[in-house]
Amino acid sequence: MAHSEPVRVGVYICHCGSNIAEKVEVQEVRRYAEEMEKVVAARDYQYMCSEPGQEIIRKDICEGLVNRVVVASCSPRMHEPTFRKTLFDAGLNGYLLEMANIREQCSWCTEENRWATEKAKALVGAAVKKAVLLEPLEERSVPVNPDTLVVGGGVAGIEAALKVAEAGKKVYLVEREPSIGGHMARLDKTFPTLDCSACILTPKMVALAQNEKVELLTLSEVEEVSGYIGNFKVRVRQRTRYVDPVACTACGDCRDVCPVELPDTFNHGLNNKKAVYQFFPQAIPNVFQVEKAGDPAPCRHACPAGVNVPGYLALIKERKFAEALDLVREALPLPAICGRVCFHPCEEQCHRAQVDKPLAIKALKRFLTDYEAKTSPEKKPKAPEETNGGRVAVVGAGPAGLSAAYFLAKCGHKVTVFEKEPEPGGILRYGIPEYRLPLEILKHEINQVRAVGVEIRTCVEIGRDITLDDLHDQGYDAVLLATGALSEVMLEVQGADLDGILPALSFLHDVRAGQRPKLGKRVAVIGGGNAAVDAARTSLRLGAREVKIFYRRSRLEMPASPEEIAAAEAEGIQVETLANPVRFLGEKGRVVGLELVRMRLLEEVDKSGRRIPAPVQGSNFVVEADTVIIAIGQRPTLDLAVGKWEGELQFDKGGRVRVNKSCQTGLKGVFAAGDLVSGPASVVEAVGAAQWASAAIDAYIRGEPLPVVEDRPERTVPFPEEREVLPLQRQEMPELEAEKRRRSFAEVELGLDEEQAVLEAGRCLHCAGCAECLQCVTACQAKAIDHAMKDEVRELEVGSIIVATGFDLFDPSSAPQWGYGRYPGVVTALEFERMVNASGPTHGKILCKDGKEPKAVAILHCIGSRDKNFQEYCSRICCMTALKYAHLVREKTGAEVYNFYIDIRSFGKQYEEFYQRVQEEGVHFIRGKGAEVVETGDGLVVRAEDTLLGIFREVSVDLVILNAAMVPARGAQKVAQVFGLQTGNDGFFMETHLKLEPLKTSSDGIFLAGVCQGPKDIPDAVSQGAGAAAEALRNISAGKVVVSPVSASINKELCSGCRVCIEACPYRAVEYDEEEEVCTVNEVLCKGCGTCTASCPSGACRVACFDTRQLMAQIEGVLAG
Amino acid sequence: MTDRSGTTGDLSGFQPRLVGFLCNWCSYTGADLAGTARMKYPANMRIIRVMCSGRVEPVLVLKAFAEGADGVLVSGCHPGDCHYMEGNYKALRRRFLVEALLEQFGIDRRRFRFQWISAAEGDRLAEIVEEMVAEIRLLGPLGRARERLFQADHLSLNPAAGGPSPA
């Protein structure tokens, strides 16, 4: 039909039986249409969609009477395809059709006939006006990729995948859990036949796994879908198992050695499984996997040296003390020292602190070294078998220097450490007092460093005895500067030069060097850091009568560790905060006291985030003291001759050496780490810095790109909310009594014993999952485990997609009236399924939490369903599962069973018969919803109104099973967004038509199967799976599908090339033609949304069927009259 | 059909004329659902189907007012639900432009509503129509602003008379 002919519109009005005709005066509408311009025929019929109805239209077209058609009937979403075909059959282009929706949007939603008729007239008028401007369109067909994607490996997905594969077509099955099987794999028996669920499901699972047309992608989720029907591109993220599925033989050796226990999600957390585990015995694929949260545990994240804390705690729990210490030493060569002096930021972050107290991580590390010293004192770390010829000079034998030397020697470099003091150790040797860190321990640990091949030369001061240039001449490949921050900051107030005023570090140094500095009876210590507390406690041990610490801020801001302050106070030392010295008072050149001023804290904070202290006017006071020790800060100093090294050393204002992110100083080949770079910090921070510096030096010598100190990952794993964590008492560190230690340098902390250590390690929550202790790697003979594996991203191309993402159960803990989560005797349906299952946590025994068989069991129906407070829909399976549970309880225990129900809905094949059978088994049925579950002295009581007897009932039971509603699977909303699906108010995915198109979605080529579309039982889910497969196979079999010709086009004559449409198009369907300087639309990519048309400023861009002129005509139409 | 006894005075008989531009996938389907569920709402709303709310250019809204509408509704899928990924966001951005334009013509911005209505929210559609009818009844007929719209030739509200749309 050439459209250049004059337009002749035919209007066909449907009565739809009485659906339209009872509200709309059809004849009046017909007459209205007849009067309209260009309308040549207006007819009405009982059912326009019926064959005789369509014949009326066909006849008018065939006779040449009409060449545009308006059908006024139901929604175009219903019958537009029907009438398009009518037009095509009659030889007219099907796109010369316009529908007026006078049923859904008129007769059905309008109260009064008069208004409905007026509205129908307006809608028909608009359709006629638009129809006049319609143009014929050519339908396009696109080839269909024969591969299919099934999302979700429950029984519906399995059925769908199996059917497609058995038809000889390739299927990808994506499942987010480690195995296919879904909820059905967790069930025990299935109603109404009482088949064993696994027995009937596993053959299908195996058939699927063995079908060569099927590719299983477990632990996988679809991240993105693009393309269109027949030609989808899908991006799938496959999370790593950390186990090679080909090599794994599922022998379970790894599981046997794994020390970490985590809740078994397959059993709904009713028991624990190992961190390396098989999902369930019949899992497909039949391989193990490692469970990791992805982000590090907070303790490991907080540790500046990144020590694998959960790893060694897990090994301590298993009494594998040597292995545990080896794991510590991988990141920390000074465990005995850190086990004593570390400020343990790990413990501050420990998630267990949210339940009771954090793990005693520092004490456990020390225990490991105590244990080694006791059981194998001669044990030495292995020196590398080969050296690689690199030579490194480390300047300074403090924690940073020693650690870096150890790491570098482990890498095979020859390392020499230069130390100016007679003994190595730096601040450890000369700054930390004996009672905190016995010399013997320090020496042992330094010998461990020597054992890996490190040479330590003492009494060599760089800059005095030997210069950096000398090191250059001696052929060192690299130098690490780690001289610390040992210059003391002194108070610049009146009288600071009096005798008896000592800098803290020199004081501590002298004591550690074996001297006994002369002290007075009254000692005042100025400062709030660990050096201040150390000086105070040391003074006490040297015989001072009275020791006082003065600090200018409040206790909250004191940098010293709270344990140290507490220990000092226990020994009788007084701590006076918010007091600052203004001058020292002297007699005959000797200090006799000091004048202080009271301080207060301002609201403002300084750079360190602490509130700024300010003096309180007129609050000065005087304190007597014959010795004053100043401990107000330290800074790095370094004085070197560096002529022979290329470049120059740079320092910041605080005297710190400037380095880049690879620990390099301005001198080529010279690196720096530790306090020299950071300013005064802690031992463990020095070790962390040494790790990076040694890695950088190693790479530098090997000529490889230098690693960069990365910013710490921001995220740690959150508290495991889903777990029930019971409080367990923390094992506290035994200490020497305060009285005994006042006059003794004997070590204060005594260490945990073996039993305490094992108990304490057992408190770890393993919040990050696998502890990466690597025991499994050693145990696996097949060498299948690799903790370095990474997630993979796959790009799939498929023609059809079947979404079968299933459901979750309503969480009854949000409804306190039923007691779930409060009373251990209240379980959900799925928990009961696992309990009654032979492979479940109780091996199939029905037990209360106390381990006894129940004498009476209540089953509550409609928990969270048929309930305005939660879900209004009927969850459909619960009546039948309740009957099944009643049968199983009677069979296994003989207990009395009470069903609390609203209605029994036994609608399926053989369901009613099963109901009869269960009634005959002596099960009690109480018609009334379980209103409340309460705990009394004797057990649980279910309260309900018995609506048959009209009485209120209270039934005592031992176990309550809550038949909770099926709700959309967690993440369903995200699935809807990824696949472009729509969800109903209940959250389930919407089908195209509730009754007639239950498997199709508004996204062509994407089909639904199973419970993701709405609650259903296994027979229905399986049927839908097969049905969805048929939908996919239909397209595959046809080889091509017709796609809508509704697409945009751009008129070159009008296009100004502004390219606004390119920005507007979500599909990148618009391109700019450089030669012609206009935009063009790629029709294959265009989906016809018309957003480009709406944005085009010159009216060049048109979208078929919804063009501006057509819409304007429609507007005129609806508002005419 | 409308009882337009006057632009002032007793408005009890005033029946506002409303035009709704509803996207095919969510809001139009929601309107179908309202009908299927036999929810009753005022017949004042005349729905025009577009494939996406992103299709609705400001001139269509002005055209509706010019042709006699007293109120206009544009409705699309909820954020994140758009069948065309982001058309509803484009519509949202255009909403503010439309509101500014309407003010320039002296049209109360309460006459224009922009709503997210999903395919499952038939009740919401019915509710919004009721609200709009009630609100615009209070505002009264559009009145003389309509003439100003017609005088604005550059808006090309009558494409048949040689507007930017191609012949």
Side-chain angles (χ1 to χ4, degrees):
Chain A
M1 166 87 47
H3 61 278
S4 52
E5 286 181 58
V7 169
R8 299 186 299 276
V9 182
V11 179
Y12 302 89
I13 306 161
C14 181
H15 293 236
C16 198
S18 61
N19 283 310
I20 293 170
E22 108 186 325
K23 276 277 154 67
V24 174
E25 299 297 335
V26 172
Q27 293 311 323
E28 191 182 330
V29 178
R30 195 183 58 76
R31 283 194 296 276
Y32 176 79
E34 223 165 29
E35 300 284 302
M36 287 187 74
E37 214 180 318
K38 311 230 171 169
V39 173
V40 294
R43 309 189 197 283
D44 63 287
Y45 189 68
Q46 201 67 12
Y47 291 103
M48 206 46 93
C49 60
S50 68
E51 187 45 42
Q54 293 185 53
E55 186 52 35
I56 297 172
I57 304 172
R58 273 199 292 267
K59 186 160 164 281
D60 283 351
I61 297 170
C62 290
E63 289 177 354
L65 182 63
V66 303
N67 59 11
R68 297 286 188 284
V69 174
V70 169
V71 178
S73 59
C74 49
S75 172
R77 297 181 53 84
M78 179 105 194
H79 270 310
E80 200 172 54
T82 312
F83 292 114
R84 279 226 163 104
K85 187 161 180 303
T86 310
L87 268 63
F88 275 120
D89 287 350
L92 187 65
N93 186 291
Y95 290 85
L96 299 174
L97 164 80
E98 181 64 20
M99 288 188 72
N101 184 347
I102 60 167
R103 192 179 73 171
E104 283 85 345
Q105 298 187 5
C106 185
S107 69
W108 277 353
C109 63
T110 309
E111 198 74 65
E112 287 179 49
N113 290 25
R114 175 180 153 233
W115 290 117
T117 304
E118 288 300 329
K119 185 171 181 180
K121 278 154 70 178
L123 292 174
V124 169
V128 169
K129 287 220 170 206
K130 182 174 175 188
V132 169
L133 297 170
L134 288 175
E135 286 166 26
L137 298 174
E138 289 309 311
E139 284 191 332
R140 293 173 291 152
S141 63
V142 293
V144 174
N145 183 323
D147 298 352
T148 300
L149 168 71
V150 177
V151 188
V155 67
I158 289 172
E159 184 66 20
L162 205 50
K163 286 284 181 283
V164 175
E166 284 170 350
K169 303 299 175 191
K170 170 95 186 175
V171 182
Y172 299 96
L173 177 59
V174 169
E175 165 59 51
R176 68 177 166 188
E177 301 228 56
S179 166
I180 57 168
H183 281 101
M184 189 174 168
R186 293 172 159 99
L187 307 182
D188 182 46
K189 300 289 187 286
T190 52
F191 62 79
T193 51
L194 297 175
D195 291 304
C196 154
S197 188
C199 309
I200 59 175
L201 179 65
T202 47
K204 275 190 189 287
M205 290 165 58
V206 171
L208 194 68
Q210 289 177 343
N211 193 312
E212 57 184 22
K213 289 286 180 187
V214 177
E215 189 172 337
L216 283 183
L217 299 169
T218 46
L219 284 171
S220 300
E221 287 183 63
V222 175
E223 291 192 326
E224 195 183 309
V225 177
S226 59
Y228 48 93
I229 179 169
N231 302 274
F232 293 108
K233 283 195 174 66
V234 181
R235 194 174 73 218
V236 178
R237 176 172 295 272
Q238 197 166 15
R239 295 197 307 282
T240 177
R241 283 178 186 272
Y242 304 99
V243 175
D244 176 356
V246 179
C248 176
T249 62
C251 65
D253 286 353
C254 52
R255 175 182 53 206
D256 296 344
V257 298
C258 178
V260 176
E261 291 199 351
L262 301 170
D264 186 347
T265 50
F266 186 77
N267 284 335
H268 304 287
L270 293 173
N271 63 332
N272 284 344
K273 58 156 196 272
K274 294 295 186 69
V276 55
Y277 67 108
Q278 190 182 28
F279 198 45
F280 57 97
Q282 305 94 332
I284 300 277
N286 185 19
V287 288
F288 279 59
Q289 53 275 325
V290 180
E291 183 171 318
K292 297 190 192 187
D295 294 317
C299 48
R300 190 176 184 174
H301 180 258
C303 178
V307 177
N308 181 358
V309 177
Y312 76 80
L313 296 193
L315 290 166
I316 293 174
K317 194 185 75 179
E318 299 289 302
R319 295 179 195 269
K320 292 182 176 170
F321 303 129
E323 289 89 338
L325 190 51
D326 287 346
L327 192 63
V328 175
R329 284 204 175 109
E330 277 183 21
L332 181 67
L334 311 170
I337 294 167
C338 279
R340 286 170 168 81
V341 303
C342 188
F343 75 113
H344 52 72
C346 47
E347 294 186 22
E348 319 310 325
Q349 299 302 322
C350 176
H351 280 330
R352 190 171 254 288
Q354 297 180 32
V355 178
D356 41 47
K357 286 183 175 171
L359 268 285
I361 298 170
K362 181 178 116 178
L364 284 170
K365 186 157 40 242
R366 165 161 170 196
F367 161 76
L368 288 175
T369 57
D370 288 352
Y371 184 86
E372 185 186 80
K374 200 167 71 188
T375 55
S376 45
E378 299 306 316
K379 191 181 166 190
K380 292 262 184 283
K382 266 191 222 145
E385 281 166 19
E386 285 177 24
T387 56
N388 60 19
R391 288 185 68 206
V392 185
V394 174
V395 184
L402 288 172
S403 302
Y406 174 88
F407 293 130
L408 284 163
K410 279 273 201 182
C411 294
H413 302 290
K414 196 168 165 6
V415 186
T416 311
V417 182
F418 298 92
E419 169 59 47
K420 71 171 178 182
E421 295 285 347
E423 298 280 345
I427 189 94
L428 303 170
R429 176 68 182 77
Y430 294 103
I432 298 176
E434 172 79 14
Y435 62 89
R436 281 177 67 198
L437 177 56
L439 264 190
E440 204 188 320
I441 301 294
L442 176 65
K443 281 182 180 162
H444 175 76
E445 216 122 83
I446 291 173
N447 284 338
Q448 298 275 331
V449 174
R450 283 196 174 107
V452 293
V454 173
E455 186 196 353
I456 303 175
R457 289 194 208 159
T458 52
C459 297
V460 183
E461 185 174 352
I462 298 289
R464 194 187 65 194
D465 305 315
I466 182 170
T467 66
L468 212 50
D469 285 344
D470 293 337
L471 295 177
H472 185 273
D473 292 343
Q474 286 170 19
Y476 285 99
D477 298 301
V479 175
L480 175 68
L481 302 175
T483 52
L486 298 170
S487 298
E488 298 200 64
V489 179
M490 288 307 286
L491 262 181
E492 289 178 6
V493 297
Q494 191 189 335
D497 53 351
L498 291 166
D499 278 353
I501 298 181
L502 309 172
L505 272 195
S506 348
F507 167 69
L508 291 169
H509 176 279
D510 292 351
V511 177
R512 273 293 236 184
Q515 302 161 19
R516 287 185 67 97
K518 255 187 88 179
L519 286 182
K521 287 184 178 142
R522 289 203 182 88
V523 177
V525 180
I526 313 293
N530 276 328
V533 180
D534 286 347
R537 295 177 76 187
T538 299
S539 306
L540 195 72
R541 282 162 173 77
L542 290 174
R545 284 262 174 80
E546 189 187 296
V547 182
K548 260 191 181 179
I549 297 174
F550 295 98
Y551 178 56
R552 63 191 182 126
R553 303 182 197 236
S554 81
R555 188 173 282 243
L556 210 64
E557 284 88 19
M558 278 181 83
S561 76
E563 295 104 306
E564 290 298 312
I565 301 169
E569 289 185 314
E571 289 162 11
I573 292 164
Q574 294 173 47
V575 179
E576 194 157 342
T577 56
L578 292 169
N580 201 29
V582 289
R583 66 189 174 107
F584 298 110
L585 312 171
E587 267 175 32
K588 299 175 192 162
R590 241 201 107 71
V591 69
V592 294
L594 61 163
E595 183 181 331
L596 299 107
V597 64
R598 294 265 172 231
M599 306 289 281
R600 64 188 177 90
L601 293 179
L602 304 178
E603 290 298 320
E604 299 88 60
V605 294
D606 63 10
K607 266 188 282 178
S608 71
R610 298 180 298 175
R611 288 170 66 184
I612 298 170
V616 179
Q617 292 300 324
S619 66
N620 294 26
F621 63 104
V622 171
V623 173
E624 284 180 44
D626 32 29
T627 303
V628 177
I629 301 176
I630 312 286
I632 59 162
Q634 295 149 233
R635 52 181 288 167
T637 47
L638 190 66
D639 187 15
L640 294 170
V642 291
K644 290 188 180 168
W645 297 83
E646 198 182 306
E648 85 181 287
L649 268 184
Q650 291 178 331
F651 299 88
D652 70 7
K653 272 194 234 157
R656 292 174 287 226
V657 171
R658 287 213 170 129
V659 293
N660 65 10
K661 284 204 159 191
S662 300
C663 307
Q664 288 177 296
T665 66
L667 297 175
K668 191 165 184 295
V670 178
F671 297 74
D675 285 2
L676 178 64
V677 171
S678 61
S682 64
V683 178
V684 72
E685 284 164 294
V687 176
Q691 281 175 4
W692 283 108
S694 51
I697 292 169
D698 182 48
Y700 173 77
I701 293 175
R702 289 173 195 272
E704 290 164 8
L706 266 54
V708 167
V709 180
E710 282 161 21
D711 292 328
R712 202 161 281 274
E714 271 181 23
R715 293 195 323 183
T716 73
V717 68
F719 182 83
E721 296 289 350
E722 70 287 354
R723 289 195 223 166
E724 188 187 3
V725 181
L726 299 173
L728 288 171
Q729 197 184 357
R730 175 178 157 121
Q731 299 296 313
E732 296 295 348
M733 171 71 82
E735 288 183 353
L736 201 63
E737 292 157 40
E739 261 321 296
K740 285 188 187 158
R741 63 195 200 218
R742 280 170 63 95
R743 297 286 180 251
S744 156
F745 278 93
E747 192 171 14
V748 171
E749 296 189 336
L750 302 173
L752 301 178
D753 68 25
E754 191 177 324
E755 289 318 306
Q756 277 184 306
V758 172
L759 275 177
E760 181 61 22
R763 294 173 69 232
C764 178
L765 301 178
H766 291 292
C767 35
C770 165
E772 296 180 352
C773 66
L774 309 187
Q775 294 292 296
C776 51
V777 177
T778 319
C780 180
Q781 292 180 11
K783 304 272 168 261
I785 304 176
D786 178 1
H787 284 266
M789 282 184 182
K790 294 264 182 292
D791 292 359
E792 273 183 49
V793 173
R794 294 272 308 264
E795 301 281 349
L796 309 178
E797 293 190 0
V798 296
S800 313
I801 297 175
I802 297 170
V803 176
T805 50
F807 69 100
D808 275 313
L809 274 200
F810 165 72
D811 177 8
S813 60
S814 62
Q817 63 266 40
W818 293 303
Y820 180 75
R822 287 192 296 150
Y823 309 136
V826 182
V827 299
T828 67
L830 283 179
E831 288 170 359
F832 182 76
E833 291 279 3
R834 292 314 298 155
M835 190 198 282
V836 79
N837 191 299
S839 70
T842 58
H843 308 289
K845 290 200 181 75
I846 299 171
L847 297 175
C848 301
K849 272 280 153 78
D850 59 7
K852 289 185 195 143
E853 272 196 358
K855 297 223 163 38
V857 176
I859 304 173
L860 272 53
H861 297 221
C862 301
I863 298 300
S865 57
R866 302 187 69 195
D867 185 334
K868 291 220 174 215
N869 299 311
F870 305 103
Q871 278 80 28
E872 292 193 26
Y873 56 81
C874 166
S875 182
R876 250 173 133 241
I877 58 158
C878 326
C879 285
M880 294 309 295
T881 55
L883 296 174
K884 176 183 76 178
Y885 300 155
H887 168 84
L888 291 172
V889 172
R890 294 292 291 161
E891 185 184 67
K892 291 203 170 193
T893 68
E896 293 299 327
V897 179
Y898 300 90
N899 267 281
F900 292 85
Y901 69 99
I902 306 176
D903 303 291
I904 293 287
R905 295 185 166 172
S906 52
F907 53 88
K909 189 168 179 176
Q910 293 180 32
Y911 290 8
E912 183 64 17
E913 294 91 321
F914 185 66
Y915 177 31
Q916 292 298 333
R917 172 182 168 184
V918 173
Q919 279 179 301
E920 283 160 19
E921 287 172 355
V923 172
H924 306 283
F925 287 86
I926 298 172
R927 201 186 85 176
K929 185 165 175 172
E932 193 180 20
V933 179
V934 292
E935 201 172 41
T936 63
D938 309 328
L940 298 166
V941 170
V942 179
R943 292 179 173 157
E945 182 191 351
D946 187 328
T947 56
L948 287 179
L949 299 179
I951 57 167
F952 182 72
R953 293 189 59 171
E954 292 194 343
V955 179
S956 294
V957 294
D958 312 307
L959 185 69
V960 175
I961 304 168
L962 299 180
N963 247 333
M966 288 172 137
V967 295
R970 77 193 144 84
Q973 199 54 45
K974 170 133 187 280
V975 173
Q977 287 183 7
V978 168
F979 291 93
L981 306 177
Q982 282 158 354
T983 52
N985 286 342
D986 51 17
F988 290 108
F989 301 145
M990 274 180 85
E991 57 293 305
T992 317
H993 192 279
L994 186 61
K995 285 151 281 187
L996 301 177
E997 298 284 11
L999 309 174
K1000 284 188 179 170
T1001 68
S1002 60
S1003 295
D1004 284 345
I1006 302 183
F1007 308 106
L1008 301 176
V1011 185
C1012 67
Q1013 181 251 352
K1016 52 182 65 69
D1017 53 20
I1018 294 169
D1020 286 2
V1022 171
S1023 306
Q1024 267 205 349
E1031 294 275 13
L1033 286 169
R1034 181 196 55 188
N1035 291 348
I1036 295 168
S1037 182
K1040 57 184 184 179
V1041 286
V1042 171
V1043 295
S1044 165
V1046 175
S1047 65
S1049 60
I1050 292 173
N1051 184 333
K1052 279 190 206 170
E1053 306 298 318
L1054 293 173
C1055 177
S1056 66
C1058 73
R1059 285 172 267 187
V1060 167
C1061 47
I1062 294 179
E1063 295 293 314
C1065 179
Y1067 300 100
R1068 294 187 197 146
V1070 191
E1071 287 158 9
Y1072 182 65
D1073 184 333
E1074 297 279 353
E1075 264 180 40
E1076 300 208 40
E1077 297 183 337
V1078 291
C1079 291
T1080 56
V1081 177
N1082 180 342
E1083 285 187 13
V1084 177
L1085 296 176
C1086 176
K1087 301 210 175 187
C1089 65
T1091 304
C1092 53
T1093 308
S1095 64
C1096 179
S1098 48
C1101 186
R1102 303 178 60 191
V1103 60
C1105 292
F1106 296 92
D1107 186 39
T1108 309
R1109 276 192 330 146
Q1110 294 165 350
L1111 292 176
M1112 286 202 168
Q1114 219 176 341
I1115 294 167
E1116 288 169 15
V1118 288
L1119 292 165
Chain B
M1 69 162 223
T2 48
D3 179 0
R4 301 179 154 261
S5 48
T7 52
T8 54
D10 177 23
L11 296 178
S12 61
F14 167 56
Q15 289 296 342
R17 306 211 283 178
L18 308 180
V19 174
F21 297 95
L22 270 53
C23 89
N24 179 60
W25 304 98
C26 291
S27 309
Y28 190 86
T29 312
D32 277 355
L33 177 64
T36 309
R38 308 299 197 275
M39 292 169 191
K40 298 291 188 276
Y41 59 88
N44 307 54
M45 177 65 78
R46 305 293 149 78
I47 291 168
I48 291 175
R49 180 169 71 127
V50 288
M51 292 311 276
C52 180
S53 53
R55 168 67 189 90
V56 184
E57 57 202 285
V59 74
L60 293 176
V61 177
L62 297 179
K63 170 77 174 174
F65 281 117
E67 290 294 331
D70 302 300
V72 174
L73 167 70
V74 173
S75 176
C77 309
H78 282 267
D81 288 354
C82 180
H83 188 76
Y84 303 105
M85 305 195 304
E86 54 195 39
N88 54 350
Y89 297 133
K90 299 268 162 47
L92 175 63
R93 280 158 64 176
R94 232 171 254 139
R95 164 206 184 155
F96 302 108
L97 177 64
V98 170
E99 284 175 347
L101 261 175
L102 292 180
E103 288 213 334
Q104 300 218 337
F105 283 98
I107 298 174
D108 194 306
R109 64 167 65 189
R110 283 173 291 179
R111 294 182 182 274
F112 173 70
R113 278 186 69 169
F114 183 87
Q115 298 282 166
W116 313 122
I117 300 174
S118 84
E121 291 176 326
D123 49 348
R124 182 88 186 106
L125 182 272
E127 199 178 284
I128 287 165
V129 173
E130 283 189 12
E131 282 172 19
M132 283 186 75
V133 168
E135 180 153 42
I136 293 169
R137 266 170 168 260
L138 289 177
L139 292 173
L142 185 56
R144 297 179 65 181
R146 209 180 316 278
E147 291 157 31
R148 285 197 286 278
L149 281 169
F150 264 124
Q151 284 156 9
D153 285 343
H154 61 282
L155 285 176
S156 313
L157 292 182
N158 190 1
S165 289

